[in-house]
Amino acid sequence: MKALGAVGLSSDEAAARFKLDGPNELPTAKPRGFLKQAWDVLRQPMLFLLLIAGTINFLISEPLDGFLLLGFVLLVIAISIYQARKSERALSALRDLTAPRASVLRDGIEQKIPSREIVVGDIMLVNEGDRVAADAVLLDCVNLSADESSLTGESVPVSKQASIAFEMGKPGGDSTPFIFAGTLLVRGRGRAQVLATATRTELGSIGLSLKSISKADSPLEREIDRLVTVIATIALAAAALVAVMFGLTRGLWLQGALAGIATAMAMLPEEFPVVLTIFMALGSWRMSKINVLAKNPMAIETLGSATVICTDKTGTLTTNRMQVSEFYMASPDNAHCATMASLASAYEPTDPMDKAFRLESPLGDGWDLIREYPMTSDLLAITHIWRQTKAESLLVASKGAPEAIISLCKLDEKRQAEIFAQVELAAAKGERVLGVAEATLKSESDIGEDPTEYDFRFVGLVGLKDPVRPAAAEAVANCYTAGIRPIMITGDYPATALAIATEIGIEVSAGALTGAQLSEMPDDELSRQVLVVNIYARMVPAQKLRIIAALRAHGEVVAMTGDGVNDAPALKAADIGIAMGMRGTDVARETADLVITDDDFASIAKGIRAGRGIFANLRKAMAYIVAVHVPIFGMTLIPVFVSAWPLALIPILIAFLELIIDPTSSVVFESEAVDPEVMNRPPRKLGESILKLPVLLIALTQGLSALIAVLCVYFWGIGLGLADETVRSLSFVALVVGNLALMLTNRSWNLSLWSSLRVMKNPAVLRILLATLAILALVLLVAPIRESFKLDALDALQWVVAILAGLSGIVWFEVYKAVLRLRRRPSKSDGH
């Protein structure tokens, strides 16, 4: 492509190229419409079954049952869509990276145009502070530097030099002529010819690579789907058996079909998908309060299972800004060295290092900048000449690479060796080292064309550092306590990475593995190295993917944090992708499952704690659901086999019980406080079931004991010769009370029921108790409602017997918990 000088494209040429190449923007996922969001929710197997069950109830003239069941479906859809749109709106508010407008030459005139209208061949006019809109080659520039950390992971800006080129190079490295879309110009100005736009840019190619990485359902989603499918299959078989048995024993085939439907309703655990959705939706809302935005709510639970966190360094563990950390060999003192470094910085700095020097030594009034000498490929130093008010002489200040300052000062070999020894010492601390020099001119007539003409004096060395975030060390320590291994994967140098890792407490005994070493390493050797190495330096995106793949091959659940475009493929490939919200790129935020809105690594530790708490409470809720369905199923099935026994539960009563089970399991257990000891336990194993065998056995035993208690009341009523409606009322009250008792005892599998009420404060418990008892009284005491439910009034004795029976079903479990407490040392923690 021919450089176009000062003219640029004509408007007609630009329009033709725009029509051919399209807009200069990256493709983004289109927001899902309402119907698409609803369909995504309805694809869950259990919701399909609920939808079918509700429809059947309408067909068999049971509209109340139908409305209740379909109400569950609508509730799940509403909550899911609300949370999805809330997350999408929050993410949209974070999209502020791409420059909205850019300066170009069109028809020989400088114009401001939307960056999406830039085309190949445009001449962009770029200045410090600009976000580059497209990949381009510099035609000319003055003292230009760019922050390419979003593409390379390097926290230090790189210098740029103009050159003739017709193909784009790669980001990174000093003195190159290329500038890249999405990077920030921190110093200088220039003109650049656009060589690539949209997906053809370096940023765009990374975005396209994301399409080849697919995301699977979370382990919990897959487990719930399997569990639901198994139970649904058994429920359908049981429903068919009940319908046939009812018809054979009583000769009433239509009523047998209704009994079969009631059996299916009693067995179908429609609460599972409801509870899972609500836990994740409300968990997302709760986590947003601790600066963790869940783009994919299911990642919250997976986060609690993480065994490894692969974190970027720049902007994640560090603040992505430079500060002066130490002076070396400063003459005559540190303050003077800081002043000279500040004078050699831009007057209104945007470069992070210039800002650090100006913050260390602010310039007061009375300084006039006379001359600037930009950095060149031959001399990696910046020199400024200043006149101070009332001073006759001129002050020359220079800062740059130590070897450049040594050259300016014409130092002997002994002095050079002393300086380089200090440079190595600073580099071992992870510092970026610049040399500082000064000279004096008598008047402006002594100003030359080259700073090497001046008689410079060595002032000292300045070490700069990208400081770690204040809470990073504590967050890393919390991860180790929780059995989670932090791993740093950065584009920075090994010495810098090791120094930062040591400062915040990441284990570094195995040293650092570099990208160059990794590129020569076969997969089997990498598989061994990932077990011990925690620091990976000078890495490129493809290598990050190899590391994550190797870790996952060892059964690790990998969380990946990052903020740059180069992190996006790894964010998508990891089990949990975590992007930084404030400094993160659009691509990183779009790809990640979670977004840390305050860019604080400590928020990740809080998110892990919340994820583990959500899982622990979800396990309690699932165990409770299993337990309560056993007596409901038993009381629906058992009366079918003897024609003289009245049906204890009909579809409308089962639907009523579901109205109790749903808020109990989804509201009460979801709002339980997180166990304070949850971060002192190792992550749950990758393949561990939420209803592992010990949990399932206890839940089934609870359900069987509740069933036996209700059966005792049921047969007591039959033995007294009570009417069918009265027997049904006794059984129904016992079931409702037993339901509430199971809720209370399952809040803690360690504390007694009474202790949990006293210690575990949860306002939702009292609300559910009062609301359920009030509705139960309303159903039994108001005649029209009682008759519509096919129930009968109970006298005082019958009420007492039914309530005591319901409570008796949990006595054994309270005794079991007491025995366990006696066998082990008392603990403040609560959980399974």
Side-chain angles (χ1 to χ4, degrees):
M1 180 182 295
K2 183 178 179 180
L4 299 178
V7 178
L9 296 174
S10 68
S11 297
D12 291 341
E13 287 175 313
R17 294 189 181 185
F18 183 85
K19 184 176 181 180
L20 179 65
D21 295 337
N24 175 41
E25 58 188 8
L26 299 182
T28 57
K30 296 181 179 179
R32 295 179 300 159
F34 176 84
L35 292 178
K36 178 64 168 61
Q37 289 177 319
W39 171 247
D40 287 343
V41 179
L42 278 172
R43 286 190 303 173
Q44 299 181 48
M46 273 309 303
L47 290 186
F48 257 135
L49 292 173
L50 273 179
L51 194 61
I52 294 170
T55 304
I56 292 174
N57 274 279
F58 281 113
L59 295 177
I60 62 173
S61 301
E62 293 287 353
L64 181 57
D65 288 18
F67 278 121
L68 289 174
L69 293 173
L70 294 181
F72 290 133
V73 176
L74 295 176
L75 176 64
V76 172
I77 293 174
I79 291 175
S80 300
I81 292 176
Y82 170 77
Q83 181 59 33
R85 293 195 171 179
K86 181 180 177 182
S87 295
E88 287 172 1
R89 287 194 299 269
L91 285 169
S92 295
L94 295 172
R95 292 174 187 150
D96 57 359
L97 178 64
T98 304
R101 303 184 71 81
S103 296
V104 297
L105 287 176
R106 293 270 177 92
D107 301 314
I109 302 172
E110 180 179 349
Q111 301 179 27
K112 282 275 190 181
I113 65 171
S115 60
R116 71 185 302 273
E117 295 180 7
I118 285 180
V119 297
V120 173
D122 262 326
I123 304 298
M124 295 191 300
L125 306 178
V126 294
N127 294 279
E128 64 181 55
D130 287 351
R131 185 74 65 178
V132 180
D135 287 5
V137 60
L138 288 162
L139 303 177
D140 54 65
C141 65
V142 178
N143 203 23
L144 193 68
S145 294
D147 177 358
E148 297 180 350
S149 61
S150 63
L151 289 172
T152 66
E154 289 278 7
S155 58
V156 178
V158 292
S159 61
K160 296 294 178 180
Q161 297 293 327
S163 179
I164 297 175
F166 304 106
E167 293 183 0
M168 286 298 299
K170 293 295 182 181
D174 286 311
S175 303
T176 68
F178 306 109
I179 56 177
F180 299 89
T183 61
L184 179 67
L185 302 182
V186 297
R187 181 193 289 124
R189 63 185 184 275
R191 294 185 307 141
Q193 185 172 1
V194 175
L195 298 184
T197 60
T199 57
R200 295 167 291 279
T201 63
E202 190 74 18
L203 183 151
S205 64
I206 294 176
L208 287 177
S209 70
L210 300 176
K211 294 183 178 180
S212 62
I213 305 172
S214 60
K215 268 285 190 183
D217 288 342
S218 75
L220 183 56
E221 285 177 305
R222 294 194 296 270
E223 180 183 348
I224 294 298
D225 282 346
R226 287 194 303 268
L227 186 60
V228 159
T229 301
V230 170
I231 296 177
T233 302
I234 297 173
L236 292 176
L241 175 63
V242 167
V244 172
M245 289 299 299
F246 196 99
L248 292 175
T249 57
R250 309 190 187 201
L252 303 172
W253 291 97
L254 181 58
Q255 285 80 353
L258 294 175
I261 292 174
T263 302
M265 290 178 61
M267 281 199 69
L268 292 179
E270 60 266 21
E271 302 86 6
F272 280 173
V274 173
V275 165
L276 182 60
T277 302
I278 291 178
F279 264 64
M280 296 303 116
L282 293 181
S284 298
W285 176 79
R286 293 182 190 281
M287 290 184 74
S288 70
K289 303 299 182 183
I290 57 173
N291 302 309
V292 181
L293 179 66
K295 185 181 177 186
N296 173 16
M298 287 307 305
I300 297 173
E301 181 274 329
T302 312
L303 180 63
S305 303
T307 59
V308 171
I309 294 182
C310 295
T311 175
D312 187 24
K313 175 184 71 67
T314 305
T316 306
L317 295 170
T318 65
T319 60
N320 201 18
R321 63 178 178 83
M322 303 300 290
Q323 71 177 25
V324 175
S325 59
E326 197 165 354
F327 294 90
Y328 302 87
M329 307 175 69
S331 175
D333 53 43
N334 292 350
H336 182 70
C337 187
T339 300
M340 291 303 103
S342 181
L343 289 171
S345 302
Y347 192 78
E348 294 181 352
T350 57
D351 179 89
M353 288 187 291
D354 284 357
K355 287 181 178 180
F357 286 128
R358 191 57 52 79
L359 185 65
E360 184 74 17
S361 181
L363 292 183
D365 297 332
W367 290 96
D368 294 320
L369 182 63
I370 306 300
R371 176 69 184 269
E372 295 180 74
Y373 296 93
M375 183 183 298
T376 67
S377 57
D378 295 325
L379 183 66
L380 298 178
I382 297 171
T383 304
H384 291 168
I385 300 178
W386 297 83
R387 181 191 297 281
Q388 194 171 19
T389 304
K390 299 181 181 180
E392 295 183 1
S393 61
L394 303 178
L395 182 62
V396 185
S398 184
K399 76 173 191 304
E403 56 270 26
I405 297 301
I406 287 172
S407 175
L408 285 175
C409 296
K410 303 177 178 62
L411 300 177
D412 58 36
E413 292 185 0
K414 180 181 179 182
R415 187 63 168 162
Q416 290 183 37
E418 293 173 352
I419 291 173
F420 282 124
Q422 293 297 313
V423 170
E424 291 180 7
L425 177 64
K429 299 177 183 178
E431 295 175 348
R432 167 85 170 197
V433 185
L434 295 181
V436 182
E438 65 177 347
T440 304
L441 303 179
K442 292 182 179 179
S443 65
E444 292 189 23
S445 62
D446 293 330
I447 297 176
E449 294 300 318
D450 193 329
T452 58
E453 301 172 11
Y454 306 135
D455 185 16
F456 277 100
R457 299 178 297 279
F458 181 76
V459 176
L461 299 172
V462 184
L464 297 104
K465 200 169 187 178
D466 183 5
V468 301
R469 292 187 174 275
E474 181 182 357
V476 167
N478 289 338
C479 287
Y480 278 121
T481 301
I484 302 168
R485 176 183 165 206
I487 291 178
M488 181 192 294
I489 305 179
T490 178
D492 218 331
Y493 292 95
T496 303
L498 286 168
I500 295 295
T502 301
E503 184 176 350
I504 63 176
I506 295 179
E507 171 60 44
V508 297
S509 60
L513 188 65
T514 66
Q517 293 171 320
L518 187 65
S519 64
E520 302 294 327
M521 187 176 291
D523 289 341
D524 58 344
E525 176 62 20
L526 177 59
S527 179
R528 289 188 290 270
Q529 290 292 330
V530 294
L531 295 176
V532 294
V533 175
N534 295 323
I535 309 300
Y536 298 84
R538 308 300 288 170
M539 291 288 153
V540 297
Q543 292 172 327
K544 294 182 180 183
L545 290 173
R546 280 191 69 194
I547 294 168
I548 290 174
L551 288 167
R552 295 186 71 187
H554 283 290
E556 304 284 3
V557 179
V558 181
M560 168 70 190
T561 71
D563 58 0
V565 175
N566 63 319
D567 293 319
L571 289 174
K572 189 170 185 180
D575 295 288
I576 314 108
I578 308 171
M580 300 295 112
M582 295 175 65
R583 298 189 61 88
T585 60
D586 283 340
V587 174
R589 292 194 298 265
E590 285 286 346
T591 306
D593 301 300
L594 305 176
V595 178
I596 307 300
T597 58
D598 62 352
D599 283 17
D600 193 341
F601 186 78
S603 295
I604 299 172
K606 295 177 184 176
I608 291 171
R609 181 179 183 274
R612 291 188 175 188
I614 289 170
F615 180 81
N617 289 337
L618 183 61
R619 174 174 278 172
K620 293 177 185 178
M622 293 295 186
Y624 160 80
I625 291 170
V626 170
V628 298
H629 270 274
V630 172
I632 295 174
F633 172 65
M635 293 309 298
T636 304
L637 180 65
I638 291 173
V640 171
F641 293 96
V642 180
S643 59
W645 294 349
L647 293 179
L649 291 177
I650 56 178
I652 188 64
L653 293 179
I654 297 173
F656 179 87
L657 288 168
E658 298 295 344
L659 285 178
I660 302 171
I661 297 171
D662 271 350
T664 299
S665 55
S666 59
V667 176
V668 171
F669 290 108
E670 190 282 330
S671 57
E672 293 287 3
V674 176
D675 180 356
E677 297 294 318
V678 74
M679 290 296 281
N680 293 331
R681 304 169 188 153
R684 75 181 181 102
K685 295 180 181 178
L686 184 63
E688 181 181 311
S689 171
I690 190 169
L691 289 175
K692 56 184 180 179
L693 187 58
V695 175
L696 184 60
L697 289 176
I698 288 178
L700 290 173
T701 305
Q702 288 179 341
L704 286 172
S705 63
L707 173 60
I708 292 170
V710 177
L711 281 173
C712 289
V713 171
Y714 175 80
F715 288 121
W716 177 71
I718 293 176
L720 292 177
L722 300 178
D724 289 356
E725 290 77 7
T726 307
V727 173
R728 187 175 297 123
S729 295
L730 284 167
S731 304
F732 182 64
V733 171
L735 272 171
V736 171
V737 173
N739 191 331
L740 295 176
L742 285 170
M743 172 196 74
L744 294 174
T745 195
N746 276 292
R747 292 184 64 216
S748 172
W749 283 21
N750 178 42
L751 300 175
S752 70
L753 186 153
W754 305 112
S755 295
S756 65
L757 288 174
R758 185 180 69 255
V759 175
M760 301 169 61
K761 303 299 182 183
N762 186 349
V765 173
L766 182 60
R767 290 198 296 266
I768 292 295
L769 283 172
L770 294 178
T772 301
L773 293 175
I775 296 173
L776 178 63
L778 187 69
V779 169
L780 268 295
L781 298 178
V782 179
I785 300 177
R786 184 175 64 235
E787 291 170 2
S788 67
F789 277 74
K790 300 179 177 61
L791 298 174
D792 200 358
L794 299 177
D795 60 31
L797 176 61
Q798 292 167 345
W799 272 101
V800 171
V801 170
I803 292 172
L804 290 177
L807 294 174
S808 66
I810 65 167
V811 171
W812 78 269
F813 189 59
E814 288 297 311
V815 173
Y816 169 77
K817 289 192 290 184
V819 172
L820 288 182
R821 288 195 300 272
L822 290 174
R823 288 182 176 178
R824 62 190 179 207
R825 186 173 58 185
S827 171
K828 293 181 180 180
S829 67
D830 165 46
H832 302 303

